[in-house]
Amino acid sequence: MSIGNSAAHDAGGVRVRTRGAVPEEDLAYLRAKIDSALDRPGLPAVTGEVRIVRATATHTASPWSAGGEIRVGGELIVVHDEEPSARELADRLHDLLRARADRLSHRGEVARRTATPPPWRGGPTA
């Protein structure tokens, strides 16, 4: 696995690096899925890198693997996955990134307190 065998493409603020024989249509699908998972209103600036590797060995059960570190504002999202095809890998990465981005965007919104404190904590009495 040499550096000469890898390629890098930008998907928004996320760099997608490939290693191995990755067809252009699979790469375009992967980039589109990564973009759609992280392109949502309310998210701060997104930067980072996702590495896609296609194994050359034919005996592996899951020749496609991905790993990435993506910064969303001040938070770090780390993803890893292995799948038997590029489409399945892209769909799974989309699900992982979307779920973690949702968690980040909703983390500060919901406070676990009631609108008014109960009477035993100094709130209004009925």
Side-chain angles (χ1 to χ4, degrees), residues 19-105:
R19 185 172 290 158
V22 178
E24 190 61 37
E25 61 272 0
D26 290 337
L27 182 60
Y29 186 73
L30 280 157
R31 282 190 298 218
K33 286 299 222 176
I34 291 169
D35 277 343
S36 69
L38 297 172
D39 183 28
R40 55 176 294 147
L43 276 184
V46 177
T47 60
E49 179 178 275
V50 174
R51 294 167 308 282
I52 309 296
V53 178
R54 182 177 182 191
T56 55
T58 58
H59 63 276
T60 58
S62 298
W64 291 88
S65 63
E69 296 84 24
I70 298 170
R71 273 220 183 265
V72 179
E75 300 291 327
L76 180 67
I77 297 176
V78 178
V79 291
H80 297 281
D81 193 30
E82 291 182 353
E83 296 293 336
S85 73
R87 295 275 175 166
E88 291 176 40
L89 182 68
D91 293 338
R92 182 72 177 137
L93 275 177
H94 178 266
D95 293 342
L96 290 170
L97 289 172
R98 174 63 83 178
R100 291 185 180 141
D102 284 345
R103 227 176 298 147
L104 283 177
S105 67

